[in-house]
Amino acid sequence: MTKKFHVYKSSAGSGKTYTLVKEFVKICLVSPDKMTFSRILAITFTNKAAAEMKERILSALESCSEHKPADVIKDAAAETGLAPEIAFKKGTEILKTILDNYGSFSVSTIDRFSHRLIRNFTFDL
């Protein structure tokens, strides 16, 4: 299995957060493992951007449970080829799993990620 690494770069106001949220949701929707979100590395530059991305992911997934799916969920379902009803149901399940395992849901800054790496590998370094 080939692992993919994606980098999105664009100017302010061009829809980066929307794209990143959609990609995050797509990965979770197509995976048979409900804990896939815990293996996604989502990094931004500022605390504000990290908090916004986290909130948008949760908000999009929450919209599934309210039976008023957000556009990002509809777009993710269309791009993955999932039937909307299945995507909405799975979105609700993913939200529940994230909330039950919130410590494994990580959207952080590049500084926090680097600090965590250095701290975890201090002895080896």
Side-chain angles (χ1 to χ4, degrees):
M1 182 171 121
T2 313
K3 302 271 182 185
K4 294 181 180 178
F5 183 72
H6 297 280
V7 175
Y8 295 93
K9 179 181 173 185
S10 58
S11 60
S14 61
K16 285 185 299 291
T17 304
Y18 182 88
T19 299
L20 293 172
V21 168
K22 182 177 65 170
E23 292 301 317
F24 189 100
V25 169
K26 279 172 42 178
I27 292 167
C28 292
L29 288 177
V30 298
S31 175
D33 181 9
K34 288 195 281 185
M35 288 295 291
T36 295
F37 68 89
S38 66
R39 289 183 294 283
I40 298 173
L41 178 61
I43 298 177
T44 64
F45 285 102
T46 66
N47 288 324
K48 182 179 176 184
E52 180 183 357
M53 188 182 311
K54 210 171 200 181
E55 191 276 324
R56 283 202 200 180
I57 291 168
L58 293 173
S59 177
L61 293 170
E62 185 179 26
S63 73
C64 291
S65 64
E66 296 172 347
H67 304 290
K68 299 179 211 167
D71 289 341
V72 69
I73 299 291
K74 293 175 186 174
D75 291 346
E79 289 181 22
T80 59
L82 287 173
E85 303 79 33
I86 293 171
F88 305 156
K89 183 178 181 206
K90 190 153 185 187
T92 302
E93 292 170 4
I94 293 165
L95 175 65
K96 182 180 179 338
T97 306
I98 287 174
L99 295 176
D100 289 344
N101 302 280
Y102 198 74
S104 299
F105 178 47
S106 178
V107 177
S108 68
T109 63
I110 189 89
D111 290 339
R112 185 172 295 155
F113 173 71
S114 299
H115 183 264
R116 195 168 71 199
L117 270 181
I118 292 168
R119 189 179 65 235
N120 288 338
F121 292 103
T122 300
F123 181 75
D124 295 333
L125 292 173

